[in-house]
């Protein structure tokens, strides 16, 4: 990449209506389909939508982007992207870049997604209490220490901040032991985790159909860890899992989205070694000077608060 790219990238997660096939009674909220559609209308007034192929060519220096270029990206490879997003983008003759997790059909949910289901079912105090009951005394001490640490980062002024505080404890400090423990809690409170996961993530037929319909795919790791929490060998294994999966899905070189937008110094090198030419963060920036640090705006935040750039 020779010159900085003037590129607006929008990031989406769940796009669903209550009770539709993607939400499936889980109670997990997302951007409403109508909100997504009207945001696309607004974006279309001020931007030229581009595809991952366009962005890749610009990064490789083969062809510049049009002015006011905008790329739509979707994280986590959830069913919403097939049921709702693909249908809408195809009708509008648009393309999206979908950062899906590398998942096998018989695997359960990743830790953050287990937490989404359990939070929707039990609420914040209910989930915290249920976890606390399952911890031994050593784990309780670590839980308490971790909570204290994140209290500085997430002063509990709103429900969102309190949720982020608990999520940080669960997804970072206690992530290793909590994964099986939350699996048990999931079975007790919700049902079969594997069955849920099968209907929650995109399957290979849906991915194929989306790809044939002009959609693009990128990597988002295997288990959705915080990259600044795991060691370098684990980071490489997570990146390699994405590369192995993308071999059969998308033309190389690929794009990657850091799970939670979490960065580490060695990630660009590791990504480059495994066939990735770009990586997307959750930092809000519109002028992209480093292809392994491309900023994105959160579509849900734009819908909630508006944005001077849109
Ligand atoms: Zn994600």
């Amino acid at each position: 990449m020779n010159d900085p790219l003037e590129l607006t990238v929008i990031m989406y997660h769940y796009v669903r209506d209550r009770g539709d096939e993607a939400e499936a009674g889980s109670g997990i909220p997302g951007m409403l389909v109508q909100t997504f559609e009207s945001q696309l209308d607004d974006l279309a007034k001020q931007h030229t939508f581009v595809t991952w192929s366009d962005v890749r060519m610009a990064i490789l220096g083969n062809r510049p982007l049009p002015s006011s270029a905008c790329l739509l990206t979707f994280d986590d490879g959830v069913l919403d992207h097939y049921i709702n997003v693909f249908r809408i983008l195809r009708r509008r003759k648009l393309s999206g870049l979908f950062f899906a997790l590398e998942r096998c059909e018989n695997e359960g949910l990743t830790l953050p997604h287990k937490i989404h289901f359990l939070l929707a079912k039990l609420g914040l105090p209910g989930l915290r209490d249920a976890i606390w009951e399952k911890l031994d005394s050593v784990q309780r001490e670590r839980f308490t220490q971790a909570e204290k640490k994140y209290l500085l980062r997430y002063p509990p002024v709103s429900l969102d901040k309190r949720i982020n505080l608990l999520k940080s404890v669960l997804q970072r400090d206690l992530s290793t032991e909590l994964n099986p423990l939350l699996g048990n809690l999931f079975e007790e409170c919700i049902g079969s985790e594997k069955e849920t996961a099968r209907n929650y993530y995109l399957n290979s037929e849906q991915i194929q159909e989306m790809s044939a319909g002009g959609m693009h795919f990128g990597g988002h790791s295997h288990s959705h860890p915080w990259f600044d929490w795991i060691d370098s060998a684990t980071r490489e294994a997570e990146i390699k899992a994405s590369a192995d999966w993308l071999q059969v899905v998308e033309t190389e070189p690929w794009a990657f989205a850091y799970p939670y937008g979490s960065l580490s110094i060695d990630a660009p090198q590791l990504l480059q070694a495994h066939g990735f030419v770009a990586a997307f963060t959750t930092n809000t920036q519109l002028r992209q000077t480093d292809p392994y640090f491309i900023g994105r705006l959160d579509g849900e935040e734009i819908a909630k608060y508006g944005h001077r750039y849109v």
Side-chain angles (χ1 to χ4, degrees):
M1 195 165 101
N2 303 322
D3 301 317
L5 295 183
E6 304 295 336
L7 173 64
T8 300
V9 186
I10 315 284
M11 163 181 71
Y12 295 97
H13 289 89
Y14 298 117
V15 179
R16 52 178 52 186
D17 288 331
R18 197 159 265 271
D20 74 9
E21 209 181 329
E23 193 263 357
S26 65
I28 302 173
M31 179 183 263
L32 299 177
V33 172
Q34 181 53 49
T35 309
F36 177 61
E37 292 248 34
S38 49
Q39 189 161 94
L40 292 183
D41 291 339
D42 289 346
L43 288 166
K45 286 177 197 149
Q46 297 187 38
H47 292 282
T48 302
F49 289 116
V50 292
T51 69
W52 161 240
S53 304
D54 298 327
V55 173
R56 182 172 53 195
M57 271 195 278
I59 288 170
L60 297 174
N62 296 336
R63 195 175 69 196
L65 289 173
S67 60
S68 306
C70 177
L71 177 70
L72 304 171
T73 67
F74 302 85
D75 285 13
D76 296 342
V78 287
L79 185 65
D80 310 46
H81 301 162
Y82 177 76
I83 299 290
N84 295 323
V85 174
F86 175 43
R87 175 176 59 83
I88 292 165
L89 295 187
R90 192 166 44 175
R91 176 163 38 77
R92 291 173 179 252
K93 299 191 166 42
L94 297 177
S95 173
L97 173 56
F98 295 83
F99 295 111
L101 295 156
E102 180 271 320
R103 304 302 292 171
C104 302
E105 299 259 314
N106 257 334
E107 262 173 323
L109 296 162
T110 61
L111 182 59
H113 296 142
K114 257 184 261 197
I115 294 171
H116 288 180
F117 275 91
L118 287 164
L119 262 177
K121 186 80 179 177
L122 303 173
L124 181 64
L127 176 58
R128 194 189 175 285
D129 290 350
I131 289 168
W132 185 259
E133 262 178 47
K134 287 188 182 285
L135 300 179
D136 62 31
S137 57
V138 177
Q139 291 168 329
R140 282 182 183 180
E141 179 55 25
R142 287 186 36 225
F143 189 102
T144 307
Q145 291 306 323
E147 259 187 345
K148 270 188 201 156
K149 182 174 62 179
Y150 295 120
L151 260 173
L152 297 170
R153 194 183 297 178
Y154 303 112
V157 289
S158 65
L159 180 61
D160 277 358
K161 294 273 185 191
R162 296 210 307 275
I163 289 175
N164 284 340
L165 196 158
L166 180 65
K167 280 181 175 174
S168 289
V169 176
L170 305 182
Q171 291 164 351
R172 295 168 65 87
D173 302 66
L174 275 83
S175 55
T176 317
E177 58 252 68
L178 259 179
N179 215 358
L181 192 150
L182 284 186
N184 296 340
L185 193 58
F186 193 99
E187 303 275 332
E188 286 166 29
C189 301
I190 295 168
S192 161
E193 186 196 329
K194 282 186 183 168
E195 191 59 37
T196 305
R198 257 196 292 279
N199 299 313
Y200 176 81
Y201 297 116
L202 297 170
N203 64 35
S204 47
E205 291 84 52
Q206 289 158 349
I207 288 169
Q208 256 175 27
E209 194 185 328
M210 288 170 70
S211 185
M215 305 297 125
H216 290 281
F217 286 88
H220 196 42
S221 83
H222 165 74
S223 64
H224 209 290
W226 281 88
F227 266 22
D228 65 341
W229 187 257
I230 56 178
D231 61 30
S232 181
T234 315
R235 270 193 294 277
E236 179 157 28
E238 291 279 348
I239 289 167
K240 187 178 179 303
S242 277
D244 291 346
W245 169 71
L246 282 166
Q247 292 283 352
V248 289
V249 174
E250 182 70 45
T251 317
E252 202 177 338
W254 306 300
F256 191 84
Y258 300 111
Y260 308 111
S262 159
L263 307 170
S264 70
I265 283 182
D266 62 356
Q269 261 172 299
L270 295 172
L271 286 163
Q272 193 172 29
H274 287 281
F276 294 89
V277 281
F280 291 74
T281 70
T282 53
N283 284 33
T284 50
Q285 77 195 21
L286 302 169
R287 188 159 207 261
Q288 320 295 350
T289 52
D290 182 339
Y292 292 98
F293 197 82
I294 297 179
R296 299 190 287 173
L297 311 181
D298 185 342
E300 285 200 52
E301 285 190 8
I302 296 169
K304 257 191 237 166
Y305 310 113
H307 200 288
R308 64 196 165 97
Y309 299 115
V310 176

